[in-house]
Amino acid sequence: MATYAIGDIQGCHTPFARMLDLVHFDPACDRLWIVGDLVNRGPESLRVLRALRDLGDAAVVVLGNHDLYLLMIAAGLKRRLGDDTLYQVLEAPDRDELLHWLARRPLMHVAGDHVLVHAGLLPGWTVTRACALAQEVSDTLAGPKARDFLLQLAGNRPERWSDKLKGWDRLRVIVNALTRLRFCSADGRMDLSAKGAPHKAPAGMMPWFRVPDRFSRTHTIVCGHWSALGFYREPGLIALDSGCVWGGKLTALRIEDDAVFQVPG
């Protein structure tokens, strides 16, 4: 049995299928860890969703910001123009089934000393604390207030976590940290507008994984989201977004032995 963590697919079904062939993936005994951003910008979001849904328990999928954006649009949020390629999902005959499946994916997955999350963790969160907060979001997405929540989710504020936060502000900070985080200050204030390489951090900010003594150093974080960072490893971090949708590569890492596999986007 092997476990393959795969970076942001973003609707690029052909590279994803090539990756499964490359690693000789066997759903009867192997497992996939998908870091989120299954959809959008790429040409085949619908095929990606169907393929991962059909893998059942052989694929562990955490939600990324583009996946949540799809759920927000389906709930009635006004769509942005530009590189949004979600129409094929929204017009599909099995749309409701796919959206139901997607909304019930977690925001975090923990297995041993590895954590699967789309973007990152705030420096003051232990893995246990982050899991509990992620579950609050999952419970809301599966509950009667899911649509209200999705329509309130957009925005960058509050910029930092507080245990005193309640309601939509509380859930929005959790989602922004887990699915959009790149840069933050040492005390956990997020800058969600900066998207450049780590050396281009805004004043007073740093990559979230470089914050000294962050509480999640007990685990290896497996994430994506940051195409300007690319495929990158350091102790405690495996970053897998190598820009497949931008003409880069789709990257997979086998957890058991750190073997790396790549296919062109």
Side-chain angles (χ1 to χ4, degrees):
M1 176 177 175
T3 304
Y4 298 95
I6 298 182
D8 302 38
I9 300 171
Q10 289 201 244
C12 298
H13 181 271
T14 298
F16 175 60
R18 288 175 181 160
M19 179 64 76
L20 298 188
D21 288 342
L22 176 64
V23 302
H24 304 291
F25 178 73
D26 182 354
C29 58
D30 297 331
R31 295 294 177 265
L32 298 181
W33 287 0
I34 308 297
V35 301
D37 276 4
L38 285 59
V39 300
N40 209 12
R41 290 181 173 154
E44 296 183 299
S45 293
L46 181 59
R47 290 189 71 188
V48 172
L49 282 180
R50 286 172 173 166
L52 288 170
R53 176 203 58 190
D54 292 348
L55 283 173
D57 293 339
V60 175
V61 176
V62 295
L63 292 173
N65 53 303
H66 282 277
D67 309 316
L68 286 164
Y69 176 57
L70 169 58
L71 294 174
M72 292 159 68
I73 297 302
L77 187 75
K78 184 177 179 180
R79 294 177 69 176
R80 297 191 296 262
L81 301 177
D83 53 9
D84 176 350
T85 61
L86 299 173
Y87 61 91
Q88 57 189 238
V89 178
L90 296 169
E91 296 173 1
D94 53 347
R95 158 199 162 123
D96 291 344
E97 179 185 347
L98 290 168
L99 294 174
H100 183 273
W101 173 84
L102 187 64
R104 281 148 184 80
R105 298 310 94 198
L107 274 75
M108 280 182 64
H109 172 72
V110 180
D113 60 358
H114 285 79
V115 174
L116 182 68
V117 66
H118 181 61
L121 302 183
L122 287 174
W125 288 351
T126 65
V127 169
T128 300
R129 179 62 167 150
C131 280
L133 297 174
Q135 189 61 50
E136 291 184 28
V137 176
S138 294
D139 291 345
T140 304
L141 282 172
K145 295 184 178 180
R147 183 174 184 274
D148 293 339
F149 165 54
L150 289 165
L151 293 177
Q152 295 291 331
L153 184 52
N156 295 346
R157 295 183 181 275
E159 296 177 329
R160 69 175 77 235
W161 171 255
S162 168
D163 288 337
K164 296 180 181 179
L165 286 172
K166 297 180 180 179
W168 305 136
D169 282 351
R170 179 182 178 91
L171 297 176
R172 189 182 305 111
V173 171
I174 298 169
V175 168
N176 282 345
L178 297 178
T179 69
R180 298 178 61 203
L181 180 63
R182 294 184 182 94
F183 296 105
C184 66
S185 62
D187 63 354
R189 181 172 64 86
M190 296 182 285
D191 185 328
L192 297 172
S193 60
K195 300 181 180 180
H199 69 275
K200 296 182 178 180
M205 298 285 164
M206 65 191 81
W208 66 268
F209 53 86
R210 296 274 171 81
V211 174
D213 301 320
R214 62 177 169 85
F215 289 177
S216 57
R217 287 187 181 275
T218 54
H219 290 65
T220 295
I221 311 299
V222 182
C223 62
H225 181 60
W226 200 343
S227 60
L229 175 63
F231 171 54
Y232 177 76
R233 286 183 289 183
E234 65 176 49
L237 179 76
I238 302 169
L240 293 170
D241 184 2
S242 45
C244 178
V245 76
W246 304 117
K249 298 177 180 179
L250 184 65
T251 298
L253 183 140
R254 190 162 56 210
I255 296 297
E256 288 76 15
D257 62 359
D258 289 336
V260 176
F261 307 86
Q262 293 186 313
V263 296

